[in-house]
Amino acid sequence: MRPSTSSGWRRAAAVTVTVVCLWYAPFAMTELWSYARPGAPAPGKWLLAHLVSPRYVADALATRVAPYRHSLLPLLVHSVLGGLLMLLGPAQLLTAARRRAPLHRALGVLFAVTVYVSMAGAGAYLARTAPRDAFSGAAFWIVLATILAGTVLSVTFGILAAIGGHPDLHQRWMLLCYGYLLTAPLLRLEWGALPTVLPGLPMTEVNRVAIMHLGSLVVFGALLASRARDPRDTVEGLGRSWAPLPVTAAAHLAGAAALVWIVRDLSGYGAAGRRLLAGYLLPYAVSYVVMALGARRAGRTGRLWAREEWRIHLTGLCLAPALSAAAVALFQHSLALDRFTALTAGVAIGCGMTAFGATLVVSLRLMYAREVLRRTVPAPSPSTPAPTAVP
């Protein structure tokens, strides 16, 4: 791909994300006001009623009142600060691209504090609400809890990477963090779009379809952004791959077996299961093709570091169905969920969790390469005189 074309795609992606964030911020900040004070402005509900139908919005409101009643204040904090995060994210990307380090650090501190407080509000809601009583049910509760944990951990690792002087790792973790945060506006977009494709479904069922692919979409986007912002062909001290052919082959076999099991089980639940399966398989297939082609092209052109990162994430993607299969059994027995709910939740969280693990492996890979380089390059002797300047 030519640099000008690549730069154009990066610019278009940045503009698209910024537009989505700016569009969603006022909706996020006002979404729950009407729960606290009936009649309060709710532009998001107004827009959704015109895009779909007033009945669709009214039914959704009725199913959300009871779960939100006992945690309204924490949820208000979560939603208002979530809207602020939609504004801070693009600002952080812009200051990083323009190399405005002091402003980037100041906004970064504000961003991190806002993430922690906003997620504390969401955590309070989840802690006070039994999974079965949550809006859209137990599967949605489990997905929200997983996203919350991923968001908090990724911003924490991003802070530690910045403190430790690893800007490339800091960038990866913060992009992943913002990817998790983008599940909120993307879900709202699906509230408006999916009823056109799947007419007649209530919002609770739309949520079930959406969670099957939102996790994979946002972490895939974070990976594409990380690769686009890392121009290095190789990394000093890289050495042998951590994702050699035997490892990737074993991951493919395990993933294929688990994927067959998921397809078989979800297909057994009729139209509802087939809807969820379609929502899961299409983004999964696209992600797989892009990662596989990225690793192959990088290998052909001698870009060893790009190939390594693609391979690690491809291995994680292959293992996602296996993780999902294990999670189904865990949810079914530990939370006493019915089989369909446990299957929905397990499949929904797989890609997001393995992408987090792949990012962790990539981070360890880079840190190990730097440690190898540090050990192989001798430090200058204290007795060696400093070079004198040539007049």
Side-chain angles (χ1 to χ4, degrees):
M1 182 178 291
R2 293 178 298 177
S4 59
T5 306
S6 178
S7 177
W9 277 107
R10 288 198 299 268
R11 191 178 300 111
V15 170
T16 301
V17 170
T18 301
V19 169
V20 169
C21 292
L22 295 178
W23 163 82
Y24 175 63
F27 296 154
M29 291 180 176
T30 59
E31 184 174 10
L32 298 182
W33 289 1
S34 59
Y35 290 83
R37 180 175 297 178
K45 295 184 179 67
W46 176 88
L47 179 61
L48 195 59
H50 282 74
L51 287 175
V52 186
S53 72
R55 178 63 182 272
Y56 176 76
V57 176
D59 289 346
L61 180 65
T63 56
R64 296 174 84 182
V65 169
Y68 288 1
R69 181 180 295 122
H70 302 297
S71 305
L72 191 54
L73 180 59
L75 283 174
L76 282 169
V77 171
H78 170 68
S79 63
V80 171
L81 293 184
L84 177 59
L85 289 171
M86 292 298 104
L87 303 177
L88 289 174
Q92 281 296 82
L93 292 175
L94 181 62
T95 55
R98 298 293 179 87
R99 301 185 184 278
R100 304 288 178 83
L103 181 57
H104 184 75
R105 282 193 293 267
L107 290 177
V109 172
L110 178 59
F111 180 89
V113 172
T114 305
V115 166
Y116 287 131
V117 178
S118 177
M119 293 303 111
Y125 160 70
L126 294 173
R128 294 177 180 181
T129 308
R132 293 179 183 274
D133 298 331
F135 173 55
S136 285
F140 198 69
W141 187 98
I142 291 170
V143 171
L144 291 180
T146 305
I147 292 173
L148 186 152
T151 304
V152 171
L153 288 174
S154 56
V155 76
T156 302
F157 287 156
I159 293 170
L160 294 176
I163 294 173
H166 303 292
D168 49 354
L169 302 186
H170 169 74
Q171 178 176 271
R172 279 168 171 78
W173 283 114
M174 297 311 294
L175 286 170
L176 182 62
C177 172
Y178 207 68
Y180 288 134
L181 291 172
L182 283 175
T183 55
L186 291 179
L187 178 61
R188 271 64 180 183
L189 288 174
E190 299 214 19
W191 284 355
L194 283 182
T196 304
V197 183
L198 303 169
L201 286 186
M203 188 181 290
T204 51
E205 291 302 313
V206 168
N207 281 342
R208 282 182 179 266
V209 177
I211 62 176
M212 300 304 286
H213 54 257
L214 279 181
S216 61
L217 283 178
V218 297
V219 297
F220 179 56
L223 172 61
L224 293 180
S226 296
R227 288 299 327 134
R229 297 180 64 85
D230 189 345
R232 296 174 295 183
D233 290 335
T234 189
V235 171
E236 292 184 285
L238 189 62
R240 295 181 178 179
S241 173
W242 282 16
L245 182 59
V247 172
T248 56
H252 275 77
L253 290 174
L259 200 57
V260 169
W261 178 83
I262 289 171
V263 170
R264 184 198 65 195
D265 266 35
L266 275 178
S267 299
Y269 288 95
R274 290 192 294 272
R275 279 198 304 266
L276 300 186
L277 190 58
Y280 174 73
L281 287 180
L282 181 59
Y284 186 93
V286 171
S287 300
Y288 178 88
V289 169
V290 173
M291 290 182 193
L293 288 178
R296 184 178 181 183
R297 290 173 179 173
R300 285 182 171 181
T301 55
R303 293 158 49 232
L304 300 181
W305 168 239
R307 183 183 66 178
E308 181 74 352
E309 186 166 15
W310 283 120
R311 279 184 173 180
I312 290 173
H313 276 275
L314 181 61
T315 302
L317 182 69
C318 289
L319 291 174
L323 176 66
S324 293
V328 171
L330 176 65
F331 294 152
Q332 192 172 4
H333 293 95
S334 64
L335 298 178
L337 301 180
D338 64 88
R339 178 71 173 182
F340 184 58
T341 301
L343 185 60
T344 303
V347 174
I349 68 171
C351 291
M353 292 188 66
T354 55
F356 182 93
T359 305
L360 183 60
V361 173
V362 167
S363 299
L364 295 174
R365 187 74 185 90
L366 283 170
M367 295 176 70
Y368 179 77
R370 287 165 189 163
E371 180 63 19
V372 169
L373 183 64
R374 186 187 67 82
R375 292 182 179 183
T376 55
V377 177
S381 173
S383 60
T384 303
T388 57
V390 178

